[in-house]
Structures are given as C-alpha cells and as structure tokens.
Amino acid sequence: MSILNKIFKSYSEKEVKRVMPLVEQINGLEETISKLTDHELREKTKAFKEALQAGKTLDDILPEAFAVVREASKRVLGMRHFDVQLIGGIILHQGRIAEMKTGEGKTLVATLPVYLNALEGQGVHVITVNDYLAKRDSEWMGKLYKFLGLSVGLVIAGMEPKEKQEAYMADVTYGTNNEFGFDYLRDNMVIYKNQLVQRGLHYAIVDEIDSILIDEARTPLIISGRANQSSDLYKKANDFVRRLTPKIIVEEDVKDYDQAEDNEKYDYIVDLKAKSASLTQKGIQKAEDAFHLENFNDLENSTLVHHVNQALRAHGIMKKDIDYIVKDGEVLIVDEFTGRIMYGRRYNNGLHQAIEAKENVKIADESKTLATITFQNLFRMYDKLSGMTGTAMTEAGEFEEIYNLDVVDIPTNKPMVRNDQNDVIYKNENAKYRAIVESIKISHEVGQPVLVGTVSIEKSEKLSQLLKKEGIKHEVLNAKYHEKEAEIVAQAGKFGAVTIATNMAGRGTDIMLGGNSEFLAKEEMRKNKIPHELIEEADTYYETDNEEILKVREDFRTLVKKYEEQIREEKEKVIAAGGLKIIGTERHESRRIDNQLRGRSGRQGDNGESKFYIGLDDDLMKIFGGDAITRVYNTLGADENMPIESKIISNAVENAQKKVEGRNFSVRKNVLKYDDVMNAQREIIYKQRREVLDGENIHDSIVSMIEFVADNIVNMFIDAESSELNIESLNTEITNIFGFDMLETIKNNKSNSQTISEELKKKAMEVYAEKEQEIGQEEMRELERVVMLKVVDEKWMNHIDSMDELKNGIGLRAYGQKDPVVQYRLEGFDMFEEMINDIKVDVTKILMHIREQGEAKRQETVKITGAALEAIHSVDGGSKIGTDIDRTVRNEGPKIGRNDPCSCGSGKKYKNCCGKNS
C-alpha cells in the first residue's frame, strides 16, 4: 500500500505544482482588487458575463474571478482564502475531486468554482449530505454570492413545486443528493411542462463526495406508488417464524457434512456474512404443519413462501437499533454508514412490512416502483462533476472507473501534528469497553475533550450507560438525536467535553478547540427569549434599515466577541491537555470511515490524538477471520484485560477491511451494470415524454404507430407454413383495435397481404382524419399527447417491475454457464421491444376508438407514496389524480356543431357556452 500511496502522492504533488502559476496570478491581483469599492466589486460580475458572451472562456477569466471572490469573502464573511484553498478551487473547477483534510475550509473552497461556473447562467448545484448542511451553507455562503449579484436557491423536502422552480432557476442551488435525485425522477413523471422544477444538470459540486457517490451508491433512488393492500399474511408469517429456532452463522463458511447435519437440528439458518436466512427441512416440515399444506414449495403457495422468507430476514438479519429504529410507531431505516435516520426510505419487496409485523406496529401497504435510478447514473448525467472530501484516496480507483474522476490530495495550510496511535486489541467487548471507559476517565480528569466514535446506536447507548455509572458527564449523538447534532459537535472541543457519536454524525461541522463562539452567542440569545427568526438574521449579510434587525446583529457581534475571548483562554487549556482525543470503539468495514473519524481531530495544525480499540468479538473480526486471530491471541497467553499490539493482528484487521471494501465495490459495480441496461431504456422513454411535455407535434409519430400496428396485425395472422390468412381472426382483431370492419377487403385480397395492409392503413387514416375534423385539429393534437403520456407511463411502470423481477431471478442463469448481466441485457432488450410494441397498439386502439369530448385533460397515472410522498401538483392548481384519461363522451341524439348557436338560447356559439363543459 505504501507504494500506491507514493504513486498517488507524487501524482497529487505534480497536479498541485501544475496549478501554482494560476495561484500566483490570483495573488498578484489581490492588491488591485482590494482597492475596489463594494459597488465596483459587484460590477465585476456583469463584466465577467459580458466577457463570456464575447467569446472568452471560464479559464480565461478564472484568475480575476477567484481574486474577486477572495476579496468579497474578506468583506462579507471575514475570511480570506488561503493559497491551498485556491488550489482546491481550481481542482474543483477542472471537474475533479479535491481531498482536503477536516478543518481546511472545504465550504469556503467551493465558493470559488461555484461563482466562476455560475457566470455561465446555466445553474450550479452544490450537493450536501443532509438538509441541515444545505440550509446552513446556502445561508452562510449565500451572503457572498448575493453580495456579488448572484441569486441563491435551496431545495429541501416538503417544498412546493413553485418554490422549487425558483430555487432551481437561481444561479446557485443548494440541496441534498436525495432531493436532487427525486426531483429528476419526479420531473420525468409530470404531465405538464409547467410542473417541471429542474432546468438541466450542468455543473455539480458534491460535498462529502465519497459518502454520496460511494457509500450510498449501493441503494438506488426509488419513487414508489401504492400497490396491493397489505395482507394479514405478514402477521401469520411473523407469528410462525417467531416460534422457530435459528442457527446463526457468523464465521467464514465451513462446507462439511458435520455442519450440514448440525443445521438440521434447527428450523432455519441465518448467514450474517451473506445476509441470508432460509428454512431447513425441519423448518419446512413445521411450515407445512402450521399452514396445513402438502408441499410448502408448491407453485400455488408462492405468496406464502415469499412472506415467510421475508419474516425470516426480518428476524434473522435485520437488527433493531442497528439497521432500523422504531419511533412513534414507525419503522425507520438507519443508514449503516452515517448512523442517520433515512426518512422516507422503505425496504422493498415486503421486507419493511415484515419488520413492521415483527415490531408489532401498523403494517403499511406494499409499494410499486414507479421510477428508479442509481446515484451513479444520476451524477454521470451532469455536464461537469466535481467534489470534496477529507477521505477519497482509498477509493480513487472506483472514482476513476465509475465516474471518470481523478483525486488530487490538496496540501494542508498548516502541518498535521495529530498523534495517530496504534490499534489496541482485546479478547472481548467487555474488556474493550472497560479500557475505553478508563481512557476517557483519564483524559476527562485533565480536561482533554474526547470524541468517541461508535458503529451503531446500540453501541453508543451501551457506552453511555457505562459512563453514567462512572459519573462522567457526556453528550450522545446518534440517529435518535440528530436534530441537535451540529450544536453538539461544534462544542465537542470544549475543555472537559465528552461526546459519543455514531460514525459520521455531525459530518460537515468543524470541531473547534475550546468551543464555537457563534453557537454560544446564539444559545445566549435563545435564553434571552429573542425570536428564532431574528437570531437567524443575526449573522446574515445584506443591507437593511430595519432597526430591530440591526440591533440584533450588533448584540450578536458583541456576544461573539465576548465568547471569542473566553474561548481563546479555554483553547489554550485544551491544547495544554493534549487537544481533541479521538477514540474508535471498533474498526468499520471501510478504512475511509475510520479515517473520517480520525480527521475530526488535528484541524488547522491543532494538536490531538486518535486511537482505535478492537475486540475479537467485533462484527468485522467475527465475520472475517476471528478464529485465526483468537488462536494467535491465546498462543500469546494474555489475560483478557491486557491489550495486545501485534503486527500479525493489525495486518489481519487491515486485510479484513480490504476484503470488505473489495466486496462492496463489486456490489456497487454489479448494481451499476444492471442499471446501465435500464438507463439506456430510461433515456429513450424520458426523451419521448419530454417531447410530449414540450408541446411538440407528435402527429407524425402517431401516424407511424398506426401504420406499424396495421402491418403487424396482418403479418400476425398469416400462417407460417401455408402462408394463408386467418380471415375471421384478422377481421376480429382489426375491428377490436381500429373500430371498423374490413371483412370484404380481406376476402377479396386474401392472397395478397401487402394489399390488405395498404388498404387497412388507408382506411385507418381516413377514419382518423374524420375524427380530427369532428374533434378539431388543435384538440386532436393535445388528445394525442394525453393518450401518449398515459400509455407510456403505464407501460413503463409495469416494465420497471418486470425488469426488477427479471433481475431477481437472472442469477440462476449462472448455473447454465451464462453471464447473468449479459442475459439480463438480452432479455431486457426483448422485453423493452415488447413494451414499445404494446405502447403502439394501445395508443392506436385508444385514438381509433375515441369520440368527441370536452377539453382533453392529462392526469397522473398513479398515486405517489413512500420516499417521494410529495405529490406532483400542477403549478397552476393541478388536476385530480386518477387512473384513466378523460372519459370518452359519446353523442346521444342529434350532434350540435362546435360553431352552431347553443341550444340554451344564450346566443353564444356552442363551444363558448354549454360546450365548454360537455
């Protein structure tokens, strides 16, 4: 690994050296730019836009634009970009990943490329990991952009479509990866152009890019709709599984007859490594007895088998307070990487309902997938993509292979002096926790702040109980309390503070030694009963004559100054005590997550230390080689309370992490291979939808569909062996699809299918032309769009489900020595072709049978639920959600022409009177 590090380091050093002339140019402009008035500085934005329109490129204006941002930042934010931040900004502008250590000011770095690229007027997206950071950064950095004359938008869940449209039309738009993704999918489900909220994917800067593009890449974004009502089968399956005896396998698989024989003593087997749970023969027999079945695995019992299998997974694999929590009678998924609650997400395929049955809460309806996309394919659609993180080097190969992004390690502003100590390993968890508590106690006694990282909610609460017994005051930060996380994390560097946090909780918030003066100032204002809205105005920059706001700002600055003096003194005490101490309670699957925890200490040249405590019964150790390490441990003959630092054991830990990282990369690549097949199909469907929304005339496409269906029908009823036509069946099908009889024509030309096809197309177009004359040309064009949207949406949604089922079963092809992905691509292509043909038939059939009606109205095909619960309403009021296009109105009695006098006696034309509502 050291060789690889050297390669990466030399590459980064070379790239940093390459951009240094630009940094020197920017620095050379600082004196000139600093002499400009505020007005002159703002006018630079207009001058840059004019230069771009005159033919200059972004690279041409980069030095001056960056110099302008630096000067504006000094005036507005009180912060001057360091040279290393300028380097980071240049790397981001080039569409690359800048790896910058914690505390190096990544948020400020982003302002440079954001401003520069926003000058093109096509929008810049700044993507963060949660709503809090999106809101914070849009307000904090937004002051800078607004000062320079740019508009800033914020996209978060729960906003009205009109608000989102405005946010996306802004020069700079902040939001989370989930919200940008869901908005993209929802935009491809709307039925009117004015319901679209996004305006294209031009340039994105992804904050914590490894978290979003690596950690979350295994789970695709899914918009779901309501499907079948949940049945009592979940409860019955749960009651059955609850009575069974499981065997839990946590070690590497041992394939021998003794184990197979031993397995049959249990009702079902749970393999934690493979994350699988299955009934044994003994369990199957119990199922047959419990449900009064002859053969549990008969095809007719497939629904029951599905419910039992999901109940097995719910009980055997899914752990409360690790994989999910129960809050207010609802099962909420916990992100395994961040420890955050994933609001709006639900496990699919009935697993979520099985967990709800297990936890005895209300079982929700099963959902149907309406739209889906992986983060890989979403972010690869941007014209330019870049990102920042403190830890990307361990995944540099994946960024290159999947996203075509290279990683450049940006040097720190001040040398790193943190002391990263060797891991210590204990025989079991209890011994490990005793050592951790003792270490915390020692640090706490001298006032050294301690941040303890845990991998789950369960472990954080266990450690909290141990600290309470010792009388050590501390804060707990996990998914259950994440609302307070920014405040807790910001104060984790105070003298004597002890903070327990799950993995990356509070990521994006700096831990400052001695504490954070702004948080303390706002806290005092809250205690003084100052309204929340005014507190938010306190550190906002814009000119105002409002005396109340000006008074609050003045008070806020006074308080900040007061606390800064206090914090300076406290920081000295913290430094003397050793700086921030990081304790890892176990190694994570990914080395990168461990590095993120270490990186919370040692910001901007601060002192500090980090140390990981490992138990041989930790999950990572149990699953990957725990027995082998235990044997080494026993050979060394150590007491369980004695720590061991052995190169053999340390290497085993790192090898286990590498093994998991490799497996996870394979999983993500596999997800992408399958989604690439869907992505090609998705692009075709979404392009067709967008043409309809744009109001394009699709009449030529409709004519082509009618002609295709006509040819297809005739060919379908030609006998392959005798080449004879099935006259009666063909005529029945023509009548069914086209709505008219052609029996005589078919009989007269039964030996010439080509003539029949031509006559059918001719007759169809004549009938269609009559309908158009009857309904009206403009009305017919809109009707074509209504029908096309309706049919395409229905067929596409069913196709997504079919492709999902194909993917779930395609693995069996491997037994026939066939590549499952290749087979998925081939069979998926056939299914897509079949769907396209079905669309043509349905569109033709509906339009050929339509009668004159009132104004054609588009309606949503299904009700959106689940992760994208926010309904897609029209900006101008919307239409009702339904399952059918506007009903056909058949004429009863004499027909009244649209331009005839209305029969009500109003004197108006029928179309402008009663005909409006017919």
Side-chain angles (χ1 to χ4, degrees), residues 82 84 100-105 410-419 510-513 571-572 574-576 578-580 598-609:
F82 300 125
V84 291
M100 302 185 72
K101 301 296 180 283
T102 302
E104 290 297 304
I410 309 298
T412 56
N413 186 47
K414 293 180 181 178
M416 174 72 71
V417 296
R418 185 184 65 234
N419 177 20
D510 270 354
I511 300 175
M512 298 180 184
L513 299 189
K571 181 176 181 179
E572 293 304 317
V574 171
I575 290 171
L580 178 63
R598 283 194 200 276
R600 305 315 298 266
S601 175
R603 65 182 295 280
Q604 285 293 324
D606 289 341
N607 62 342
E609 61 181 286

Side-chain angles (χ1 to χ4, degrees), residues 209-223:
I209 194 169
D210 54 330
S211 174
I212 291 171
L213 297 194
I214 301 291
D215 296 339
E216 298 204 31
R218 278 191 284 179
T219 309
L221 283 172
I222 296 172
I223 288 187

